[in-house]
Amino acid sequence: MKKLLLSSVVIIVGFVFISRLSYLQLFSFSPNQTLEDPAIKAIYDYPERGYVYDRNGELLVGNQPAYDVMVIPREVQPLDTLEFCNLLGIDKKAFISKMKRARTYSPRLPSVLVPQLSKEDYAGLQEKMRHFEGFYIQKRSLRYYATNSAANVLGYISEVNERDLQNNPYYVAGELKGRTGIEKQYEETLRGRKGVKYIQKDRFNRDIGPYKAGKLDTLPQQGKEIRITLDKALQEYGERLMHGKRGGIVALEPKSGEILAMISGPTYDPALLVGRERSRNYTKLHYDTISKPTWDRSILAEPSPGSPFKTLNALVALQEGVIDTSTKFRCYNGFYVGNTKRGCHCGGGMRDLNSGIYQSCNAYFAGTFRKIYGKYKTTDEGMDAWEKHMKSFGLGGYLGTDLPTGRPGRIPDKAYYDKAYGDNRWASSFIISNSIGQGEVAATPLQLANMTAAIANRGYFFTPHVIKSVGNGSIDPRFTEPRYTTIDRKHFEPVIEGMANVYKYGTARWVQVPGIEIAGKTGTVENFVRINGERMQLTDHSVFVAFAPVENPKIALAVYIENGYYGARYAGHIASLLIEKYVKGEITRKDLEKRMLEKTLEHEYAKPYSGEPFKINEYVW
Amino acid sequence: MSGRGLVKRIDWISVFLYAFLVFIGWINIYSTTLSNPDGSIFDFSTLYGKQLFFIIISLGVIVLVLFVETSFFERFASIFYISSLVLLVGLFLFGKTIAGATSWYDLGFLNLQPSELAKVTTALALAKYLSDIQTDIRNKKHQLYALLIILLPALLILPQPDPGSALIYFSLFFVLFREGFPLYYLGILVIIVVLFATTLMFGTVWIGIGLGTLTVLTFLFKRKSTKIPIIPLSIALVLSILFSLSVNFVYENVFEQRHRDRFALWLSLEKDKDKLEEIRKTIGYNTYQSEKAIESGGFFGKGFLEGTRTKGDFVPEQHTDYIFSSVGEEWGFMGTTTVIIVFSLFFLRLIYVAERQKNDFCRMYGYGVISILLIHYIINIGMVIGLLPTIGVPLPFFSYGGSGLMFFTLLLFIFLKLDSNRLRDGL
């Protein structure tokens, strides 16, 4: 025992050491450790972020230099603090606290003293800078916006956070990343790839030469410029028209699915989210929970579509063969569901397809809807057929655009009603509101515009998208494949005729555009809101979908104005102005334009918050 | 004595392993202290050049030792021992302070550390005392004398302060155990260490519960025939609990915060993860950097002169106490295991050599040599790979330092010289 004691100690210790070493060097070892190694510093060379142009090659987003005043605390010499503060435009107290923070972070590493000076401030500071030892100016690149509109489409960039760093090893703290819009969607294209140089450091953080003689270093790859499908002029004009109004507008080019304009009201100037005021502005926008300027109503709002939806019901009925163009229904200034009467504003009388559309007769479409369901033995089967047709128009599901957000809208199916009412406890009368675009159906303005484009194309559409070209390359082929609806081409003509008559004789005869034949459909959507637990009805939403010209359509659009009252009142006017602007390039009806630019609906939006009883749907301008 | 006979009789295996360790050690010193790759290895302004110089000096020491008459070491052991004690006392008057410890004499060309010398002389003195025909290890009085021989230099070194070196002397207990010192002393020592650590980790209450359960289990599962000495057992129990309580008191009131931090780190006493990490990176900075450097070596290592953390001088004291981390980073798992295996073989060979001695003095001295080298190796590598708290002792034959290398060489080759003489009668 006593002879073996020391030998056993030697052997046991040897085993313990080797196990500990295998834990350290075999199990804890990660081959990908160059970045964690404090002895190796990566110095990055950032390429310029790609520019963004509109469909006509007009610059939308570029870059601007910004100048950070940096400080290396231990190199600072005694200085005239007052003069320096005046130059920087900060007060002495802020200066002292910033210096303290920089020193706490590291006395020998640079910290930002004053971020993002403008070009003007920089010019004044530049020549005096050499008097202040330990301070220097570092140039950075910020986004520059050549337009004050399209914030919802362009999106913004901001510094990466902890989660981004964990999810994507490419990013390093302090880098910028696209957060919304195309900045997010085309992040990698716009960003390019940063170049990296590895430097060997000692523990005092001094350079002692390139790491591995620069074998691992890479060159930066330039970010690509992209062209998007927006029409800068149309977008800007649309946003001006939306002044003081809430809602969404989407305009498409039917023959390509390209998004010409995508407007959400209220919106904000994209330049607000750049530079020194960024954080304050963002907070202000983000916490405006009543008008929600950062909420993109053109793709996120899902209201009931209202009467424009009638056109689809007509198409489905034609396709199913339950009506033809001469099928007539009588309107009793309304229609009956059981013993209850539902109203109609069309004026009453016998309605066929054409006048049903242009007078927007509720009774006609309730009848049509009943006929669709009447064709099938059970409501379930009818529901399935109806749902299949509706979904083929891109409703009730994500459209698959190249925007990072979106909503699916809703086309209710039998499961939806089974859940709401119980299995077999509902019939077509329960869901008759869907015939006129009220009830359970819901669609985003983008979906409405897309549906209109499908009608304009007589039966197919392209997935709406904002990318036009990347560098010199082509775009994702899924945007150039037509998607066919389940409705035969021949059924579109009578419906389009009805829609054209909306302008000639119907609900929108006051908003004609001289020289352009437009097909459209008004919508007036009842809506309710719950404030402090009290359900109240507000002034109707004003909806309008249209495309023009009727033959060879160039633009299809949906305009959705919250609480704008009847369809032709706001939405119709705005739609007609946008069409005229896009097709003709100029506006002939100056007085209408002036009225639309100036009118606001703020008084409507204030009503439910006034705390007093209010009237809705008032005929006052 | 003829030189030819010496060449034949010396234990070449030990010599070869020694040379291998010195060589590998120098290679790593070269890597950690290299700043100008074009410089000559004989450039004595560099640390690796200096170490090469010390290696040559050590060769001189070896030659000197091998040609000295064998009996010289035994005959003068007491005088050597007393002189080194005098040197240690002298430090209080004439010592030179380096890094807070007054452990050196300034000899101009070299800083002499008498605690290194005392390791050799204490091993010799202990061997001489124990091998004396009149000494009986079972006699309590003689046990006490033997303990005094070991503890006297340790007590003189402790206030320098150099607790690391003082700790080394305790390794000589292995010599005592080999020579028949009752093993239960070792048992008591182990129990004390375990009680100390477990009290810090779990608290006295759990120690009490644990010991109580153990006692009950012993009574439950004992064989009918076995009689348990109830009175000594209860005394041991009470003493353990009292000791456990005193640990808490000592830890909270006698230890300073820096000591507490080291224990907190070593035993992971701090429950707050962030705080523990904080301690790891501040108090445990050396160990943290050293572990990271070793870890980053992986299986194959980064290659000779390619260690980024070694080059960047991230591990403090890397050419001295933390030299093993450079092995870990540049030579990887292959390098570290090779070094561990070579060291183990070296110790096993020395144990074998010690056991084959016919002369008691030689064997006891041999055990002294092995114990001293082994404890350095255990504490140093244990610290560098994060198994033991930070205690500053060098890695024998590896770490930079002329004084250290010379005395380790002296220590070893006196033994090899004694061994070479084993087949001759007398000394």
Side-chain angles (χ1 to χ4, degrees), chain A residues 2-43:
Chain A
K2 61 188 185 183
K3 284 185 190 175
L4 292 177
L5 177 67
L6 212 50
S7 311
S8 351
V9 170
V10 171
I11 290 169
I12 292 171
V13 165
F15 269 111
V16 171
F17 281 178
I18 289 178
S19 353
R20 171 69 179 171
L21 285 166
S22 36
Y23 168 74
L24 285 177
Q25 299 188 293
L26 305 183
F27 297 106
S28 309
F29 174 72
S30 73
N32 180 359
Q33 55 180 343
T34 318
L35 284 176
E36 297 156 20
D37 194 334
I40 302 169
K41 174 151 190 225
I43 293 183

Side-chain angles (χ1 to χ4, degrees), chain B residues 308-329:
Chain B
T308 51
R309 288 166 192 256
T310 296
K311 270 191 190 167
D313 209 5
F314 276 80
V315 187
E317 299 300 323
Q318 201 181 17
H319 59 295
T320 59
D321 290 354
Y322 284 89
I323 188 75
F324 191 66
S325 69
S326 169
V327 181
E329 186 180 19

Side-chain angles (χ1 to χ4, degrees), chain B residues 32-67:
Chain B
T32 49
T33 60
L34 180 71
S35 48
N36 174 17
D38 302 325
S40 155
I41 58 166
F42 294 107
D43 181 352
F44 292 137
S45 67
T46 62
L47 292 178
Y48 57 83
K50 279 186 186 155
Q51 184 72 2
L52 197 59
F53 173 70
F54 292 131
I55 291 174
I56 293 165
I57 300 246
S58 300
L59 278 176
V61 171
I62 293 171
V63 172
L64 209 68
V65 169
L66 291 183
F67 282 95

Side-chain angles (χ1 to χ4, degrees), chain A residues 1-3 5-7 9-11 13-14 16-18 20-22 24-26 28-29 33 36-40 200-203 208 211-212, chain B residues 174 177-178 183 291 294-296 298-299 302 308-309 311-314 328 332-333 336-337 340 344 347 351 355 367 370 377-378 381-382 385 387:
Chain A
M1 172 64 191
K2 61 188 185 183
K3 284 185 190 175
L5 177 67
L6 212 50
S7 311
V9 170
V10 171
I11 290 169
V13 165
V16 171
F17 281 178
I18 289 178
R20 171 69 179 171
L21 285 166
S22 36
L24 285 177
Q25 299 188 293
L26 305 183
S28 309
F29 174 72
Q33 55 180 343
E36 297 156 20
D37 194 334
I40 302 169
Q200 168 84 48
K201 293 267 186 179
D202 71 4
R203 75 193 150 106
I208 49 177
Y211 173 63
K212 289 205 171 167
Chain B
F174 280 123
F177 292 128
R178 171 64 184 82
L183 271 177
E291 275 181 39
I294 293 174
E295 188 185 305
S296 71
F299 187 79
K302 295 177 187 166
T308 51
R309 288 166 192 256
K311 270 191 190 167
D313 209 5
F314 276 80
F333 184 66
T336 51
T337 42
I340 300 289
S344 303
F347 290 127
I351 293 168
E355 286 295 340
Y367 260 82
I370 298 162
Y377 155 83
I378 293 177
I381 296 189
I385 63 181
L387 286 177

Side-chain angles (χ1 to χ4, degrees), chain B residues 72-258:
Chain B
F72 173 78
F73 299 111
E74 189 183 10
R75 192 169 302 151
F76 293 102
S78 325
I79 295 173
F80 293 148
Y81 180 67
I82 290 165
S83 337
S84 56
L85 289 185
V86 170
L87 281 176
L88 284 174
V89 173
L91 280 178
F92 291 108
L93 301 173
F94 311 109
K96 183 185 175 189
T97 307
I98 298 176
T102 315
S103 311
W104 282 269
Y105 283 112
D106 190 354
L107 299 186
F109 67 100
L110 179 83
N111 289 322
L112 183 87
Q113 198 177 354
S115 63
E116 303 274 5
L117 179 66
K119 287 171 194 168
V120 183
T121 61
T122 309
L124 282 170
L126 183 67
K128 173 156 183 178
Y129 178 73
L130 290 178
S131 65
D132 194 299
I133 199 115
Q134 294 185 6
T135 307
D136 179 5
I137 193 78
R138 285 177 293 272
N139 182 324
K140 288 272 191 281
K141 198 170 130 194
H142 293 171
Q143 286 178 5
L144 191 69
Y145 284 145
L147 283 180
L148 269 181
I149 291 176
I150 295 174
L151 294 182
L152 223 67
L155 287 175
L156 288 172
I157 291 166
L158 203 56
Q160 287 178 358
D162 188 358
S165 293
L167 191 62
I168 297 300
Y169 289 87
F170 286 88
S171 67
L172 291 171
F173 276 84
F174 280 123
V175 181
L176 299 181
F177 292 128
R178 171 64 184 82
E179 299 308 327
F181 205 63
L183 271 177
Y184 65 77
Y185 286 165
L186 184 63
I188 290 175
L189 194 73
V190 170
I191 289 176
I192 285 177
V193 171
V194 169
L195 271 179
F196 181 80
T198 46
T199 302
L200 290 186
M201 288 167 81
F202 306 113
T204 305
V205 176
W206 283 107
I207 297 294
I209 293 173
L211 287 176
T213 324
L214 217 62
T215 315
V216 172
L217 285 178
T218 320
F219 277 98
L220 282 177
F221 291 101
K222 66 163 189 161
R223 265 185 251 152
K224 278 260 161 63
S225 54
T226 329
K227 279 207 174 136
I228 288 175
I230 294 182
I231 295 172
L233 191 71
S234 1
I235 292 175
L237 258 178
V238 172
L239 282 178
S240 302
I241 304 280
L242 282 178
F243 176 75
S244 178
L245 285 171
S246 73
V247 165
N248 287 327
F249 179 79
V250 169
Y251 186 74
E252 293 299 337
N253 301 304
V254 181
F255 277 23
E256 291 170 25
Q257 187 56 42
R258 62 198 172 98

